[in-house]
Amino acid sequence: MATLTVSTFVSSVILQPIIVGMSSAIHSSLLSYEIAGQLDWRPITVCLTCDVLVTSIDHLKDQEVAISARGVAAMKRFTSLFHLARTFLALNASLLVMALYQSPSKTTLFTAVFTTPAFLWATPLDLQWIGRVLRFTWANYDQEDSLRTNKPFIIKRVPGMKAIFDGIIRGCGPFLVVHSALQLSCQSSHNVPPWTIIETIIWSTVNRTCHSIMTDVRDYDEDKKAGVPTIPVLLESPLKTRIVLTVVQAAVMMTFFRNPFIVGSSCFAIALAWILGKDSPKVYFRLSLHSQSIFIIIYAVMFVLL
């Protein structure tokens, strides 16, 4: 068993979610500036707190399982930390509610649509219950039999789709949240060269998908043993996965070659795909997570200085 300490608990439940949330905050800040020429605190706060809550809750569940397995004494020793974690979650939830309260109702709708699958990421879902709801809603629904199964449905275990779901949620979700909060038409007159909104959405979606696949490369042996059908497991080779990641990032570079920040980010991501592996410390994979954020920050610094 891994050693359970105060520092590992705080790092997992508080620090790591903040690091993940900062990636979404930086991404939504760029979108806000692209769309309206300003940094609106509401969608930025929504994206930040949602990512923090989803990640922190998931890690807190893992910590509860690991600590409870050590017995009552361990649970008592970590009681104050559990209180700290719940206070941290309550604070982020309050900020989220405040930001949504100040935003149009469409922002709340889009937030719910994109965060619900993330909150239910590893939750066993009863398809028979879903079938009964659908049957109640549509009397002629004739697919209930296809939903009858003794096995619960888990989103993250859909073969090969874990990384793609993650990319769509974290790549497309922020745009809809920012756009709805700013209440602007899709034809924004604001122009921020070398950026365009559509390339930012595509770049973000691909980047987050590739990062998720990178973490699956790191966990290849564990996922294969547990039967988790990630893309590296389906390809049966981390090497093949790295080749796929290289091809995808190269395609992004060629498509958006006029934007040096996207080109630089993709080159950085390709390098990390070949440098990082299962024996690399997990903290180094944060570079993969922020391969987009780093170049957005470089753009912001250059914009201010020049």
Side-chain angles (χ1 to χ4, degrees):
M1 283 188 181
T3 303
L4 297 175
T5 64
V6 172
S7 60
T8 57
F9 184 97
V10 172
S11 175
S12 176
V13 179
I14 296 178
L15 296 182
Q16 290 181 27
I18 291 175
I19 293 172
V20 174
M22 288 305 300
S23 174
S24 289
I26 294 170
H27 175 206
S28 57
S29 296
L30 176 62
L31 287 170
S32 178
Y33 186 70
E34 283 182 358
I35 294 173
Q38 62 181 358
L39 299 181
D40 192 303
W41 71 274
R42 299 169 300 164
I44 296 172
T45 302
V46 169
C47 293
L48 169 64
T49 53
C50 282
D51 242 355
V52 169
L53 287 169
V54 168
T55 308
S56 184
I57 290 173
D58 183 51
H59 289 186
L60 181 59
K61 289 179 180 178
D62 292 340
Q63 289 293 319
E64 287 178 337
V65 171
I67 294 172
S68 62
R70 300 295 182 96
V72 177
M75 288 295 291
K76 288 183 178 180
R77 185 160 61 92
F78 282 87
T79 298
S80 59
L81 289 177
F82 281 116
H83 288 317
L84 175 63
R86 293 186 177 96
T87 301
F88 175 70
L89 291 173
L91 174 61
N92 278 276
S94 300
L95 291 173
L96 174 60
V97 171
M98 185 187 305
L100 290 175
Y101 180 76
Q102 296 289 331
S103 305
S105 56
K106 282 170 53 175
T107 304
T108 303
L109 174 63
F110 286 128
T111 301
V113 168
F114 280 94
T115 56
T116 298
F119 278 114
L120 299 177
W121 194 246
T123 303
L125 302 176
D126 185 358
L127 290 186
Q128 292 187 44
W129 180 84
I130 296 174
R132 287 193 292 269
V133 171
L134 292 172
R135 188 183 181 193
F136 177 79
T137 306
W138 296 285
N140 294 326
Y141 185 74
D142 59 357
Q143 298 181 15
E144 183 181 9
D145 290 339
S146 65
L147 295 173
R148 289 179 180 168
T149 176
N150 293 325
K151 294 183 178 179
F153 174 75
I154 301 176
I155 296 175
K156 70 179 291 184
R157 288 185 177 269
V158 177
M161 295 302 293
K162 173 178 172 284
I164 296 174
F165 285 154
D166 187 57
I168 293 173
I169 290 171
R170 289 191 162 100
C172 301
F175 164 73
L176 293 174
V177 169
V178 173
H179 188 272
S180 62
L182 296 173
Q183 289 187 311
L184 296 173
S185 66
C186 291
Q187 298 295 328
S188 173
S189 59
H190 191 67
N191 186 28
V192 190
W195 305 96
T196 65
I197 294 174
I198 187 63
E199 76 176 16
T200 302
I201 296 172
I202 295 173
W203 173 43
S204 301
T205 303
V206 172
N207 185 273
R208 293 309 293 258
T209 301
C210 290
H211 166 68
S212 183
I213 296 174
M214 276 295 299
T215 61
D216 291 336
V217 170
R218 179 194 67 199
D219 301 331
Y220 175 75
D221 292 334
E222 297 175 12
D223 289 338
K224 186 174 182 179
K225 186 180 297 184
V228 180
T230 62
I231 288 177
V233 171
L234 293 175
L235 292 176
E236 299 182 343
S237 168
L239 176 60
K240 292 179 182 178
T241 305
R242 289 187 172 94
I243 294 173
V244 170
L245 290 174
T246 301
V247 171
V248 170
Q249 291 287 4
V252 171
M253 281 195 296
M254 289 187 290
T255 303
F256 305 122
F257 68 94
R258 296 182 183 275
N259 190 320
F261 302 100
I262 292 180
V263 172
S265 173
S266 295
C267 289
F268 185 55
I270 290 173
L272 291 175
W274 291 96
I275 293 172
L276 300 178
K278 64 179 181 179
D279 297 324
S280 302
K282 287 189 176 182
V283 67
Y284 291 171
F285 284 83
R286 299 301 174 194
L287 292 172
S288 173
L289 170 65
H290 286 286
S291 61
Q292 181 182 43
S293 307
I294 291 170
F295 287 86
I296 294 176
I297 292 173
I298 292 174
Y299 163 76
V301 171
M302 292 177 62
F303 178 81
V304 171
L305 295 179
L306 301 178

